[in-house]
Amino acid sequence: MSDVLKVAVIGGDGTGPEVVAEGVKVLEAVAKLENIKVELTPFDLSGERYLKTGVIVTDEEITELGKFPSILLGAVGHPDVKPGILEQGLLLKLRFAFDQYINLRPVKLYPGVETPLANKKPEDLDFVVVRENTEDMYIGTGGWMKKGTPDEVATQVAIYTRKGCERCIRWAFEYTRRRNNPKGKMLTLVAKTNVLTYGHDLWWRTFQEVGEEYPDVKKDYNHVDACCMWMVKNPEYFDVIVTTNMFGDIITDLAGILQGGMGVAAGGNINPDAGGTSMFEPMGGSAPKYTGLGVINPIATIAATAMLLDQAGYSKAAARVTSAIQTVTGTKMKSQAAGKMGYSTSEVGDLVCENL
Ligand code: IPM
Ligand code: MN
């Protein structure tokens, strides 16, 4: 935690800038109340810019961004840019460039928020997914042979390293310990050891070995397919989940819809090492059809801002934001869906500020 909280702000495309404006509004309001000095620096990175200039992000910009402990990212995605270009050229590029090896996805049902699960209440849906964020099928290892012919062969290799899984697993144990769930501290490894007998065996062995250092944390295991069933049937079972990059991507979309969907779910790409740069974002995309209408839900971005504060060491400010979100979803907002909130995007931001 430093004297000044320096935040790089990337609004991005579509509704990104609108939701980021509300995150910034709340950040500035809570900083004032908590006497935190905040310095915001905007970065113009977007699909829009890529279409105009052919540049997604320069090496200089990456070096500049790397000087910030925290980045707040709205959304990057443009209907006229082929899928994969911006994802790989910006989002994954930044995750890898800053070695953000933790993808943290809290799954929390806020009061008043509708879940597709029948009879589940906020106390039943409160767990966290720790997703490895730098390995697996995401690293782009693979290739084609005889491309475009009937004999085509394609490979997409999942790479797991001891270092990569160990640092993620250790961080997850530490996190579970800190979270200190009153129902009992439990870390569930989610993998597929019955089929991925090399890579996930490495995860399994590392989990057991590192787990010995944490006798106070219950060690649990779910195959990823079974995890999806339990998440729907008994979400209250989970405390913290640690999992691989690809499976983490999939199960956090399932978890995201359980907690109310795109308008609510937030995530952090974290480099927890000293001097690391971490990046926080709402899980929803750029939602082009809602752009400029003032109807998009900023709660996910405000929740991402709370995560940013927490990671930067301002846990009291973070808790204030989370509690204000809960007041607003529980007592004010009609729905979390775009256009149905009962308020505009900026009014929701104002309400959170008023309830800090
Ligand atoms: C996410 C997204 C990204 C991912 C995409 C946009 C590359 O789905 O943050 O979960 O797969 O990690
Ligand atoms: Mn995803």
Side-chain angles (χ1 to χ4, degrees), residues 157-170:
V157 182
I159 289 192
Y160 308 100
T161 68
R162 171 72 194 212
K163 179 183 155 194
C165 68
E166 182 170 341
R167 64 185 182 173
C168 176
I169 288 168
R170 178 163 281 110

Side-chain angles (χ1 to χ4, degrees), residues 73 86 188 204 246 311 328:
L73 171 69
L86 296 168
T188 304
W204 168 262
M246 190 77 252
Q311 177 61 27
V328 173

Side-chain angles (χ1 to χ4, degrees), residues 17-170:
E18 292 167 57
V19 289
V20 158
E22 302 314 308
V24 165
K25 190 195 273 177
V26 172
L27 181 63
E28 288 183 323
V30 77
K32 204 162 167 201
L33 294 169
E34 290 282 323
N35 279 315
I36 304 167
K37 281 199 205 101
V38 183
E39 233 176 75
L40 302 163
T41 309
F43 279 78
D44 172 31
L45 306 176
S46 61
E48 195 68 48
R49 168 180 147 180
Y50 170 66
L51 286 174
K52 280 198 198 116
T53 65
V55 175
I56 302 181
V57 60
T58 64
D59 292 348
E60 292 73 37
E61 282 165 334
I62 292 193
T63 308
E64 264 324 290
L65 281 167
K67 295 180 185 160
F68 290 80
S70 320
I71 303 173
L72 182 63
L73 171 69
V76 177
H78 198 289
D80 301 338
V81 181
K82 211 177 115 200
I85 306 244
L86 296 168
E87 288 85 344
Q88 281 191 347
L90 190 74
L91 190 59
L92 299 181
K93 184 153 185 161
L94 296 182
R95 286 179 185 172
F96 292 135
F98 302 133
D99 202 18
Q100 293 165 338
Y101 59 89
I102 302 296
N103 191 323
L104 187 63
R105 301 257 165 114
V107 185
K108 197 174 166 69
L109 182 63
Y110 295 127
V113 175
E114 219 177 302
T115 170
L117 299 182
N119 308 320
K120 294 294 176 190
K121 308 205 164 36
E123 58 270 28
D124 300 318
L125 212 72
D126 187 359
F127 61 91
V128 178
V129 179
V130 178
R131 162 185 169 191
E132 201 288 322
N133 211 29
T134 56
E135 302 197 333
D136 207 345
M137 278 179 266
Y138 275 78
I139 54 173
T141 300
W144 294 283
M145 213 171 73
K146 301 184 184 173
K147 191 177 175 192
T149 74
D151 295 329
E152 177 163 354
V153 179
T155 59
Q156 190 88 44
V157 182
I159 289 192
Y160 308 100
T161 68
R162 171 72 194 212
K163 179 183 155 194
C165 68
E166 182 170 341
R167 64 185 182 173
C168 176
I169 288 168
R170 178 163 281 110

